[in-house]
């Protein structure tokens, strides 16, 4: 798979990144380098290899699945531009 300049421009637009026209060839080249590396990874034989979370064999810590409110309502609402009665206050958008 090869990325041309028009595809690189489309990706930049979708990512909302402003890229000048003279920088598009370099961006397309970088995308092609990344895709080349991914193609190399796809060639690796991983048959029989167990998925792992670390280079050291370990088991992830388990915890009880409990629903809580986090006990941080004041901290969360401190970031709100407008909070009333323990909730985020937002402007009415539907009449």
């Amino acid at each position: 798979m090869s990325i041309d300049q028009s595809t690189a421009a489309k990706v930049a637009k979708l990512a909302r990144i402003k890229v000048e026209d003279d920088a598009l060839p370099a961006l397309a080249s970088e995308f092609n380098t990344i895709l080349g590396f991914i193609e190399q990874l796809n060639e690796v034989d991983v048959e029989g290899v167990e998925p792992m979370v670390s280079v050291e064999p370990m088991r992830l810590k388990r915890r009880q699945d409990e629903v809580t409110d986090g006990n941080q309502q004041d901290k969360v609402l401190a970031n709100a531009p407008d909070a009333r009665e323990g909730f985020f206050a937002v402007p009415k958008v539907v009449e």
Side-chain angles (χ1 to χ4, degrees):
M1 178 178 208
S2 180
I3 303 291
D4 59 359
Q5 290 183 31
S6 64
T7 305
K10 184 176 181 180
V11 171
K13 182 180 178 184
L14 290 172
R16 299 185 191 277
I17 300 171
K18 183 178 181 181
V19 178
E20 301 297 332
D21 290 337
D22 58 339
L24 284 175
L27 182 63
S29 175
E30 287 183 37
F31 283 153
N32 285 320
T33 302
I34 293 168
L35 289 175
F37 180 69
I38 292 171
E39 288 175 3
Q40 286 180 354
L41 290 176
N42 285 334
E43 294 173 4
V44 176
D45 181 22
V46 293
E47 189 68 33
V49 177
E50 294 281 328
M52 55 188 214
V53 296
S54 173
V55 294
E56 293 289 322
M58 63 173 38
R59 232 179 122 78
L60 294 176
K61 294 178 183 176
R62 303 283 182 182
R63 64 175 173 82
Q64 291 295 324
D65 189 14
E66 298 173 356
V67 177
T68 67
D69 64 357
N71 296 323
Q72 299 184 14
Q73 182 180 23
D74 295 334
K75 290 180 183 178
V76 172
L77 291 177
N79 294 322
D82 187 10
R84 295 182 200 150
E85 300 176 14
F87 297 97
F88 285 95
V90 294
K92 185 176 181 181
V93 293
V94 178
E95 296 286 330

